[in-house]
Amino acid sequence: QVQLTESGGGSVQSGGSLRLSCVVSGITYDRYCMGWFRQIPGKEREGVATIDTTGTATYAESVKGRFTISHDNSRKLLYLQMTNLKPEDTALYYCAADSLPYGGSASLKLVPVFGFRGQGTQVTVSS
């Protein structure tokens, strides 16, 4: 059974930092494209960052230079380091995985509909 479990969300002030983690089980981790997307109430889901099977990362323009996606294959952990957070980053953040060989901008567009995702972790940034 595939499970993705996020943690690390919380409330911070503008300019602060958070690191999200996602524990993954039930898949051959290094064969999957992994990523993060976020959901703001009333808005469409937005791909935030992905990392493909070659280790290449792709970022949304809105977070480039502030967020870093990384993973620990041996421990099946996916991370999203978020710095210089802004109020517009407030959202429910999900990690997601898919076995198809996505990468680049395509992966960013599709991460909200990847085959597997977690339950989400809330990030709230106050001004």
Side-chain angles (χ1 to χ4, degrees):
Q1 182 179 359
V2 179
Q3 279 193 310
L4 289 80
T5 306
E6 304 93 339
S7 63
S11 297
V12 296
Q13 290 193 324
S14 182
S17 300
L18 285 172
R19 188 177 80 158
L20 306 183
S21 299
C22 177
V23 179
V24 183
S25 63
I27 64 172
T28 305
Y29 186 88
D30 59 359
R31 296 180 184 177
Y32 278 65
C33 182
M34 307 293 298
W36 294 89
F37 68 92
R38 62 189 181 188
Q39 173 81 70
I40 300 170
K43 294 191 176 182
E44 288 189 4
R45 293 174 178 175
E46 176 190 22
V48 174
T50 60
I51 187 163
D52 66 18
T53 56
T54 70
T56 301
T58 303
Y59 298 94
E61 286 298 321
S62 58
V63 306
K64 201 173 285 187
R66 300 188 298 122
F67 290 12
T68 303
I69 188 171
S70 62
H71 57 183
D72 182 338
N73 279 3
S74 64
R75 298 171 61 195
K76 293 188 176 181
L77 284 165
L78 181 71
Y79 302 105
L80 185 69
Q81 178 68 49
M82 305 185 294
T83 63
N84 191 20
L85 282 160
K86 304 176 181 180
E88 52 263 42
D89 295 318
T90 295
L92 189 59
Y93 284 73
Y94 298 85
C95 70
D98 203 289
S99 61
L100 292 178
Y102 297 122
S105 58
S107 66
L108 204 59
K109 187 178 295 186
L110 292 168
V111 64
V113 294
F114 273 12
F116 304 101
R117 66 173 182 264
Q119 295 298 307
T121 185
Q122 178 68 37
V123 171
T124 302
V125 185
S126 58
S127 57

